Amino acid sequence: MYGMIHCAVRDMIIVHRGYEEWEEVEREAEITPADQITLKVYDDAVTMHIINAAAARLGVDVPDCLLMLGRHWIKYSARGTFKSVMEFTGGDIVTFLENLDQMHRAVKRTMPSAQMPSFEVIEEEELAFKVRYRSEREGLGTFLPGLLEGLLDYFHLDGDVKLVDQGSSGMDFRINYRKR
């Protein structure tokens, strides 16, 4: 995965538990600041080791940690280095998701070995839509609902995210929402 994910996990632990707990995660995951370079690709095993250590420090299981990380990723991105990217990707949740692949292609030019996911809005209704997520990676199923919930919050919407189909074509989520 990418160092930016490692940095987001770090930020999440510091926000929820403090810097000392992050130092414990570093020790447990056997990582150093060199494993937290934002625009570097790391082996997925390193990332999962960090997430396992973070889950233990937060007192949650790995799926719940990934859900928390998905939500936190949006907040982290919106206030940090990626703020301008978030702002120009789209002014509403559907447009944002429709433009996400284009943004990922731009990131791939910077990090050629990155394996970027794909998002496709496959159905849209008034106050609801379906999005298909595809990735060569496995094991991130609960990260996605958290990410989508984080986007609802980012766009000042209330709603729910449900996995409605999972198969060879990817994972389909239905998002129902309303303005706050």
Side-chain angles (χ1 to χ4, degrees):
M1 284 200 206
Y2 322 108
M4 60 189 87
I5 294 291
H6 299 180
C7 294
V9 174
R10 177 183 187 271
D11 187 71
M12 180 177 74
I13 294 295
I14 292 170
V15 165
H16 289 279
R17 294 288 193 260
Y19 186 77
E20 296 77 24
E21 287 294 310
W22 172 251
E23 289 176 325
E24 289 299 319
V25 170
E26 284 183 321
R27 276 191 278 288
E28 289 172 23
E30 299 176 349
I31 62 168
T32 68
D35 297 305
Q36 299 164 53
I37 298 170
T38 302
L39 293 177
K40 184 175 176 188
V41 178
Y42 294 91
D43 186 280
D44 286 356
V46 172
T47 303
M48 291 313 294
H49 203 54
I50 294 168
I51 290 170
N52 278 302
R57 286 279 135 202
L58 291 168
V60 299
D61 61 18
V62 171
D64 285 342
C65 185
L66 285 167
L67 184 69
M68 288 175 67
L69 180 59
R71 290 179 189 133
H72 189 80
W73 171 253
I74 299 301
K75 291 176 189 170
Y76 172 77
S77 298
R79 66 176 157 75
T81 309
F82 307 105
K83 181 179 180 180
S84 61
V85 174
M86 292 283 291
E87 290 171 349
F88 78 74
T89 301
D92 62 79
I93 192 168
V94 172
T95 304
F96 185 93
L97 287 164
E98 289 173 334
N99 289 332
L100 210 45
D101 284 4
Q102 183 176 348
M103 187 268 295
H104 282 148
R105 282 190 292 278
V107 171
K108 184 133 175 95
R109 284 192 292 275
T110 305
M111 299 168 31
S113 61
Q115 296 174 310
M116 292 298 177
S118 175
F119 291 84
E120 177 187 6
V121 176
I122 56 174
E123 195 176 292
E124 190 174 355
E125 304 168 22
E126 186 175 337
L127 301 178
F129 63 93
K130 268 172 121 174
V131 64
R132 178 165 293 147
Y133 165 79
R134 289 184 215 113
S135 178
E136 296 174 19
R137 293 197 158 80
E138 296 197 21
L140 297 177
T142 57
F143 178 76
L144 266 296
L147 184 82
L148 294 167
E149 289 170 5
L151 283 173
L152 285 168
D153 190 54
Y154 177 76
F155 287 107
H156 309 290
L157 302 169
D158 290 320
D160 59 81
V161 175
K162 292 196 179 9
L163 177 66
V164 293
D165 192 24
Q166 184 172 0
S168 60
S169 63
M171 300 171 76
D172 293 352
F173 293 91
R174 179 175 175 81
I175 295 90
N176 297 301
Y177 64 93
R178 64 192 170 285
K179 295 188 186 288
R180 288 188 186 145

